[in-house]
Amino acid sequence: MKRGITFKLPHQDGHFLADMLKPVDVAAYHWYNGGEEAYYVERKDNEDHSLFPEQVFGMDGAELKEIIGNNDYYAFFVDLKAFPKDKEVVDVRTYEEYMDSDCLLVLLLADSEYVTIYCKDQAKLKALYDNAISQGYNKVEYVTDDNDARTGLSVW
């Protein structure tokens, strides 16, 4: 069974979180935000500012969509998990917890370039895969029951 996708990002800043999530209606969910290490540069003071200043349980999807779509940024570590708006947002730490939870999508970015996205909806997963190919990401592959070596769903 296909669990998700994995790929490598090019080393550059931009809107890549919004780009990789194009097939997903980000605003339709509440998000677990794991206190990532991601920054945008404020043009007026040329200073780095945290894209996500703190860990947030239940970040509104419209707010997340605005943050990742309206800022140029660079990210080292990102841990985002999508939940239906009528469900409790929790941090799922393992694949088994994810499968038993209401979490619908997990996005993990490590070391600025290694991305893994888990998605329970197979049609959305295919759309995410096709989007990754069209974005020109490197080494786009499906994560399956047979090749998933990840032991936890965290970047820390």
Side-chain angles (χ1 to χ4, degrees):
M1 180 176 141
K2 294 175 183 167
R3 296 180 174 193
I5 60 172
T6 186
F7 53 88
K8 283 181 69 176
L9 289 173
H11 285 286
Q12 62 189 39
D13 53 340
H15 300 96
F16 55 86
L17 292 172
D19 293 342
M20 72 177 74
L21 288 173
K22 276 184 182 177
V24 176
D25 182 2
V26 172
Y29 302 99
H30 280 313
W31 293 81
Y32 166 83
N33 172 331
E36 292 72 17
E37 187 176 356
Y39 305 94
Y40 69 95
V41 175
E42 185 68 45
R43 303 290 183 227
K44 63 184 174 195
D45 62 12
N46 207 29
E47 295 281 325
D48 292 347
H49 299 276
S50 180
L51 193 63
F52 305 107
E54 58 190 40
Q55 184 174 10
V56 178
F57 287 84
M59 176 181 239
D60 183 68
E63 179 183 0
L64 178 63
K65 183 177 180 176
E66 184 173 322
I67 289 170
I68 66 174
N70 294 332
N71 293 294
D72 283 338
Y73 48 84
Y74 54 97
F76 298 103
F77 297 96
V78 174
D79 179 351
L80 296 171
K81 296 171 179 127
F83 290 82
K85 288 197 172 190
D86 62 340
K87 301 295 181 180
E88 180 182 8
V89 175
V90 297
D91 183 14
V92 291
R93 297 280 188 165
T94 66
Y95 182 76
E96 291 74 23
E97 287 178 7
Y98 162 69
M99 289 305 294
D100 290 339
S101 76
D102 293 313
C103 183
L104 299 174
L105 182 139
V106 174
L107 184 152
L108 303 170
L109 168 66
D111 294 333
S112 304
E113 64 181 330
Y114 301 100
V115 177
T116 302
I117 301 175
Y118 290 90
C119 183
K120 290 180 180 174
D121 181 320
Q122 292 295 304
K124 270 194 186 127
L125 180 60
K126 170 79 167 96
L128 287 161
Y129 179 89
D130 291 344
N131 180 63
I133 296 288
S134 72
Q135 294 288 339
Y137 301 144
N138 297 312
K139 299 184 180 182
V140 181
E141 298 176 4
Y142 279 108
V143 177
T144 67
D145 291 342
D146 296 328
N147 70 4
D148 192 359
R150 185 176 285 280
T151 58
L153 296 182
S154 174
V155 293
W156 300 106

